[in-house]
Amino acid sequence: MKQLCVLEQRNAFQGFFRIDVLRYQHSLYSGGMSVPIERELVGRGQAAVLLLFDCQAQVVILIEQCRAGALQHAQTIGNAAQAWLIEPIAGMIDDGESAEQAALREAQEEAGIALNSAQYICQFYPSPGGSDEILHLYAAEVDSSLVAEFAGLAADVEDIRVLKIPFEEAKQKLLRGDFNVASTLIALQWLFFQKLSA
């Protein structure tokens, strides 16, 4: 039987994100408990991800924006364009809001389209070695002619380009490994290898 004992959890930093220091022990496969382990944990919370697609027009709708998490790598390789990532619509879940409600709100904010519902796909940890973030993935079929070309909330300093990528092009990019965001990979694998192949 797996056991876990949190010995200490303290806040080390509080800003846009939170960093906690955890001391914990867990049961070992060989029996007994581990020595105390200390790790820093980035407190990201939970977010909703929404993949939009249009079967009539045969396009998947993704967004492109400059992302803080890619800045250092872009600078290291001397290619600023690498800081702009292609991904599904996504955003943090606000207090009192369900994951689906957050996904629908983000559709309006990041693609300029109003939706009433979305299909739940799955939830996953994008980086559990150092972050507590849980992503809730949804999908919705839409009329791609209704999405905006550019979007984002000025209050959140968002500058977003909405992309309509033909199914075949998106699938080929997926198979070639052109996409580098976990939520993009997972969402497109669901679309091409579960939804559209069923």
Side-chain angles (χ1 to χ4, degrees):
M1 182 173 160
K2 293 178 180 173
Q3 294 181 313
L4 182 65
C5 178
V6 176
L7 304 171
E8 180 187 9
Q9 180 170 352
R10 59 184 167 81
N11 181 252
F13 175 80
Q14 182 67 55
F16 186 73
F17 296 118
R18 186 185 78 250
I19 298 177
D20 289 340
V21 176
L22 293 178
R23 286 185 69 247
Y24 64 97
Q25 293 177 278
H26 61 77
S27 54
L28 299 171
Y29 293 116
S30 59
M33 295 293 282
S34 69
V35 298
I37 301 166
E38 186 169 302
R39 294 287 185 269
E40 292 80 26
L41 180 70
V42 177
R44 288 269 301 156
Q46 299 190 39
V49 177
L50 176 64
L51 177 68
L52 300 178
F53 62 96
D54 183 343
C55 286
Q56 186 71 27
Q58 294 280 290
V59 296
V60 62
I61 297 146
L62 298 170
I63 62 172
E64 183 181 43
Q65 61 183 317
C66 184
R67 304 297 262 161
L71 290 177
Q72 188 174 28
H73 177 68
Q75 287 186 317
T76 300
I77 64 172
N79 184 352
Q82 292 297 307
W84 275 260
L85 302 180
I86 296 172
E87 53 198 322
I89 289 163
M92 301 305 293
I93 300 170
D94 291 339
D95 289 338
E97 187 177 48
S98 71
E100 183 180 14
Q101 288 169 333
L104 301 179
R105 173 179 50 75
E106 291 292 339
Q108 182 71 55
E109 293 175 8
E110 296 191 349
I113 188 166
L115 301 175
N116 294 320
S117 64
Q119 178 185 350
Y120 174 75
I121 308 303
C122 65
Q123 71 176 35
F124 59 95
Y125 292 95
S127 186
S131 172
D132 67 359
E133 183 176 36
I134 298 173
L135 298 183
H136 302 264
L137 177 61
Y138 289 83
E141 186 170 357
V142 300
D143 178 347
S144 59
S145 69
L146 300 178
V147 300
E149 186 177 356
F150 299 97
L153 286 182
D156 290 343
V157 198
E158 291 177 330
D159 181 46
I160 295 171
R161 180 170 69 131
V162 180
L163 306 172
K164 300 174 189 176
I165 305 173
F167 280 171
E168 190 55 36
E169 180 185 342
K171 187 174 183 181
Q172 289 309 309
K173 285 178 176 283
L174 174 67
L175 294 173
R176 282 196 311 263
D178 292 351
F179 297 113
N180 59 0
V181 177
S183 59
T184 308
L185 298 171
I186 293 167
L188 292 180
Q189 286 172 0
W190 170 82
L191 179 66
F192 294 127
F193 305 119
Q194 288 180 255
K195 175 71 174 176
L196 297 180
S197 66

